Amino acid sequence: MTTVTNKTDNTGDVRLSGISKTYDNGFTAVHPLDLTVPQGSFFALLGASGCGKTTTLRMIAGLEEPSSGTVHLGEQNVTALPPYKRPVNTVFQSYALFPHLDIFENVAFGLRRRGIKSVKKQVEDMLDLVQLGEQARKKPHQLSGGQQQRVAVARALINHPKVLLLDEPLGALDLKLRRQMQLELKRIQTEVGITFVHVTHDQEEAMTMADTVAVMNAGRVEQLGSPADLYENPRTTFVANFLGTSNFIEAEVDTKNGDDIVLKAGGGKLVLPEARCSAPTATGGKVLVGVRPEKISLTHADDAGDIPEGRNRITGRIADSSFIGVSTQYVVDSPVCPEFEVYAQNIDRDARLVPGTEVVLHWNPAHTFGLDAAQDIDAGIQEEAAV
Ligand code: ATP
């Protein structure tokens, strides 16, 4: 069961227990899923198109009936409740504002529908929260996409939901506006302190905003954790590749040395802290050794003697290099990995490091992670069988 703890108040918890969705055509979009999102967190469901993110969100909202399992909001089992009886509101990619109403009336809509007469103070507070106090009398078409999305957020928040669901809310915005709105939404969430569940396929967006991210793949949560934890300690190749770039080396467990595992890879040895290995660590076990491109240093083969003791090292030849300002990106062919990627910050660049040069790649063993190669193969087979 995947659970995030550390909570003081649980009225805004979202708890999914064994929830699944199989559509009428027999396709299972979400396999039985246990997930707890604690009150007040900014939670992201991240995954490629079609992995079941929106279906999961819609089951929380009550817009999709689960095939099995239950949805709890706080202590309340809401599985059988229609959407309007759940303490949640949803913000969609299409802002769905009323074009004939001005911004003030769009935000006031939920209150008026509930028969509340004096809406002025609440609407003004909400417009201030989303920094649109000056735009109250404009119509939606007179605002930018980002401003319209903020109106949609204000219109949802004025109902004081326990949970705000955001379904790719920034999908229609251009890149610059997206980046601005990511920070803006994070600020709003911190200010109102309610639970936000955000669906996105954009890993940078999820990592910028969310304190906890669930990476979904083919209707399952592959891994859940803080952005830094997922990036530094991925447990599957899918997660490792979805959140940035990774290099992989096929290796075999040789011995243990204290808290470390010593692995054989292409005639050489690599060291991996046992705590960072999600594969079985018995001698002879197969491990996929991963390392991020920015963790690796490149040294000209002639200077190999200068590399400090205790670093993992492999040899190779530079196949390609691209200068991209803040860093230079190298592709290195190595006997243990055909296209090793290395990102080197442009400080004291060694002008000898051009394509064709023999180099040693080396890194701190603490920056290495180990994956269970067999498990990834199993997952691939399951996925193929599901198609
Ligand atoms: P996207 O980012 O493209 O919206 P998603 O991860 O949110 O993707 P879902 O919308 O949850 O994915 O869809 C998951 C899978 O379920 C997809 O393969 C989709 O085609 C399928 N699906 C969604 N709705 C239905 C439906 N009503 N009937 C049958 N299959 C459906």
Side-chain angles (χ1 to χ4, degrees):
M1 163 147 179
T2 329
T3 303
V4 188
T5 49
N6 183 26
K7 53 191 179 180
T8 47
D9 167 17
N10 72 354
T11 54
D13 283 3
V14 178
R15 188 154 46 90
L16 309 181
S17 308
I19 198 166
S20 73
K21 181 68 191 181
T22 300
Y23 285 108
D24 292 345
N25 61 2
F27 179 75
T28 299
V30 178
H31 296 273
L33 175 66
D34 293 312
L35 185 69
T36 299
V37 181
Q39 150 80 33
S41 55
F42 199 133
F43 188 90
L45 281 171
L46 171 69
S49 179
C51 71
K53 313 177 292 289
T54 300
T55 302
T56 304
L57 198 80
R58 287 171 62 83
M59 289 193 283
I60 300 171
L63 298 166
E64 202 72 71
E65 192 185 337
S67 309
S68 68
T70 55
V71 180
H72 279 77
L73 296 173
E75 295 301 318
Q76 192 186 10
N77 183 344
V78 299
T79 318
L81 291 185
Y84 65 91
K85 288 201 174 155
R86 300 186 183 203
V88 302
N89 268 93
T90 309
V91 175
F92 298 97
Q93 181 175 334
S94 62
Y95 326 116
L97 302 178
F98 301 113
H100 57 286
L101 297 181
D102 66 18
I103 300 313
F104 184 100
E105 287 304 325
N106 263 282
V107 175
F109 184 81
L111 299 179
R112 295 213 193 279
R113 200 179 51 175
R114 298 210 310 269
I116 298 169
K117 294 273 177 332
S118 52
V119 299
K120 190 165 181 290
K121 168 91 174 72
Q122 284 194 65
V123 173
E124 283 174 355
D125 286 350
M126 263 315 139
L127 287 174
D128 285 346
L129 176 72
V130 299
Q131 297 178 338
L132 287 176
E134 306 290 304
Q135 319 288 343
R137 291 302 162 198
K138 286 189 176 163
K139 293 278 176 63
H141 73 271
Q142 294 172 297
L143 300 186
S144 72
Q147 288 171 327
Q148 289 184 48
Q149 192 54 280
R150 269 145 55 194
V151 177
V153 170
R155 195 178 56 171
L157 288 177
I158 204 161
N159 298 318
H160 297 295
K162 295 283 185 200
V163 180
L164 188 69
L165 305 175
L166 301 122
D167 191 0
E168 296 269 4
L170 310 181
L173 306 180
D174 66 39
L175 192 64
K176 190 159 171 244
L177 210 48
R178 267 181 99 103
R179 297 285 171 254
Q180 276 173 14
M181 276 298 290
Q182 287 166 11
L183 301 176
E184 187 64 8
L185 276 176
K186 181 73 197 158
R187 178 191 65 77
I188 292 169
Q189 193 270 339
T190 309
E191 218 163 305
V192 296
I194 67 166
T195 314
F196 276 33
V197 181
H198 180 105
V199 157
T200 180
H201 63 271
D202 180 336
Q203 54 111 358
E204 198 179 317
E205 183 166 304
M207 291 176 91
T208 306
M209 294 198 288
D211 31 56
T212 307
V213 177
V215 181
M216 284 192 80
N217 182 21
R220 292 186 171 84
V221 170
E222 283 234 354
Q223 194 174 341
L224 178 146
S226 69
D229 186 37
L230 293 175
Y231 186 80
E232 302 292 354
N233 303 303
R235 287 204 302 268
T236 64
T237 48
F238 179 83
V239 174
N241 288 325
F242 204 78
L243 299 172
T245 304
S246 295
N247 296 295
F248 291 109
I249 303 166
E250 288 177 14
E252 189 182 307
V253 179
D254 186 16
T255 54
K256 282 191 197 167
N257 181 13
D259 293 338
D260 293 331
I261 313 165
V262 181
L263 302 133
K264 290 189 282 191
K269 295 268 165 86
L270 295 170
V271 173
L272 166 70
E274 189 167 9
R276 293 176 54 78
C277 185
S278 51
T281 56
T283 300
K286 302 274 186 254
V287 176
L288 214 46
V289 172
V291 58
R292 298 284 190 188
E294 74 281 7
K295 312 286 193 203
I296 303 168
S297 302
L298 268 193
T299 296
H300 194 287
D302 292 350
D303 300 340
D306 299 341
I307 300 170
E309 283 296 306
R311 287 173 71 78
N312 279 330
R313 60 179 77 197
I314 59 171
T315 55
R317 182 194 297 264
I318 297 176
D320 193 19
S321 82
S322 331
F323 177 83
I324 58 155
V326 287
S327 66
T328 301
Q329 303 194 346
Y330 298 94
V331 178
V332 178
D333 283 337
S334 159
V336 295
C337 175
E339 291 188 337
F340 227 86
E341 290 202 46
V342 180
Y343 303 160
Q345 275 206 310
N346 285 328
I347 311 165
D348 301 331
R349 242 160 40 92
D350 184 344
R352 296 172 300 166
L353 298 182
V354 293
T357 309
E358 299 288 339
V359 288
V360 179
L361 301 92
H362 52 102
W363 65 93
N364 183 342
H367 292 151
T368 318
F369 53 88
L371 305 180
D372 185 349
Q375 198 180 50
D376 269 317
I377 292 163
D378 286 350
I381 292 168
Q382 280 172 19
E383 232 171 275
E384 275 169 35
V387 172

